[in-house]
Amino acid sequence: MIRLTDIYKRYEAHTILKGVNLTVAKGEVCVLLGPSGGGKSTLLRTINGLETFDGGQMEVAGVKLPGQPCPEREAALLKIRQKVGMVFQQFNLFPHLTVLGNIIEAPIHVLGTSKDQAIQKAMELLDRVGLKQKADSRPASLSGGQQQRVAIARTLAMNPDAILFDEPTSALDPNTTAEVIDVMQDLAQAGQGMIVVTHGMHFARTVAHTIHILHSGTIIESGPPAKVFDSPSHEVTRAFLSDSGTHG
Ligand code: ADP
Ligand code: MG
């Protein structure tokens, strides 16, 4: 589903990603962990085409993505953005649209879905994230956790093969964090592929198929949660997990 080979990313003189190799199967739930500044957000943004890259190869949903701006990259991005959705820390809902309006926008304008069909699907998705009764509300009237669940429903409306979550609960209080984690857990159990950057160690341990540790721009360790959490092979992983209060 997603295959990155030796990916490099630079900002001016700084090399942020230094030869990242990552393979994600269809339906696989990956959690990306590692110290702040290690390049996790940059990696997700690169996969979704929000950032160019400077070396290596990337293939997403069977489409090869060139690293640098060119017509082939534009064409690849149109396809990839239909297959890979992204959920950000700050929700990024359109404030002037209702909840329903936010969800039907891309299916209508990008996929060419009819309005009736888009609304029907949106209501199903709102039901799935527990917010059917909020369809006509504006985002600003919702709690952070509700807004994030709308953002997830909006992403699901595109039927993505994979969803990239960048710290989706880090702006939320513990109660609303739990609501969002519950939704993500349901999706994972229903076979939704995802790459999740999170501080939610319980989610990482209980829901992820694969943990990847990203440190200073490279993936230093990967494996099933039981292996990475209980017998990490890298000193940086041990230090990171011990700081996160999950090990030792
Ligand atoms: P993480 O998500 O793991 O905390 P980031 O991907 O946000 O890490 O950042 C990795 C490094 O890249 C940091 O040193 C950060 O300062 C740098 N960086 C991120 N975005 C930019 C940018 N747009 N321009 C320059 N440097 C950036
Ligand atoms: Mg980040």
Side-chain angles (χ1 to χ4, degrees):
M1 169 61 204
I2 296 173
R3 185 187 304 276
L4 310 188
T5 313
D6 205 23
I7 294 293
Y8 279 76
K9 168 73 187 169
R10 292 183 198 92
Y11 289 119
E12 318 217 315
H14 298 282
T15 304
I16 309 298
L17 301 178
K18 302 170 186 161
V20 172
N21 295 297
L22 176 68
T23 305
V24 183
K26 201 164 179 173
E28 185 174 356
V29 177
C30 291
V31 169
L32 196 56
L33 301 175
S36 178
K40 301 181 296 296
S41 294
T42 303
L43 181 59
L44 292 190
R45 294 170 57 80
T46 302
I47 293 171
N48 205 28
L50 295 171
E51 302 285 352
T52 58
F53 58 95
D54 302 289
Q57 275 95 47
M58 172 150 39
E59 194 176 318
V60 178
V63 179
K64 277 206 164 77
L65 180 66
Q68 293 296 309
C70 63
E72 293 76 19
R73 180 173 161 92
E74 290 310 308
L77 284 179
L78 283 179
K79 294 184 191 149
I80 289 172
R81 294 227 174 99
Q82 294 183 26
K83 295 290 177 191
V84 179
M86 188 146 172
V87 174
F88 301 88
Q89 181 181 329
Q90 291 301 340
F91 329 134
N92 295 356
L93 297 173
F94 299 115
H96 60 290
L97 297 178
T98 63
V99 162
L100 187 66
N102 267 277
I103 299 173
I104 64 175
E105 210 264 352
I108 291 175
H109 292 105
V110 180
L111 300 181
T113 309
S114 74
K115 191 168 179 187
D116 283 353
Q117 267 185 322
I119 290 174
Q120 191 188 339
K121 172 101 191 263
M123 293 309 292
E124 285 167 21
L125 292 171
L126 279 173
D127 198 22
R128 193 164 173 193
V129 301
L131 290 172
K132 211 171 174 179
Q133 75 287 6
K134 297 291 186 185
D136 298 322
S137 304
R138 301 274 161 180
S141 71
L142 305 183
S143 73
Q146 290 171 332
Q147 290 187 55
Q148 191 61 297
R149 286 185 280 150
V150 173
I152 292 171
R154 179 177 61 174
T155 301
L156 289 169
M158 297 294 281
N159 288 321
D161 288 338
I163 303 179
L164 314 178
F165 289 92
D166 193 0
E167 303 201 14
T169 61
S170 58
L172 305 178
D173 63 40
N175 281 338
T176 51
T177 290
E179 295 166 1
V180 171
I181 291 286
D182 281 352
V183 166
M184 292 170 65
Q185 191 164 341
D186 286 348
L187 293 177
Q189 273 152 10
Q192 174 69 57
M194 54 180 89
I195 305 180
V196 184
V197 175
T198 181
H199 300 286
M201 290 297 165
H202 183 74
F203 179 88
R205 190 186 263 277
T206 57
V207 181
H209 302 131
T210 316
I211 306 285
H212 300 279
I213 309 290
L214 184 66
H215 170 63
S216 290
T218 51
I219 291 179
I220 56 167
E221 177 159 6
S222 300
K227 166 73 183 68
V228 173
F229 284 119
D230 297 335
S231 47
S233 58
H234 202 293
E235 184 50 43
V236 171
T237 308
R238 275 191 283 277
F240 173 78
L241 292 176
S242 131
D243 285 349
S244 311
T246 60
H247 183 74

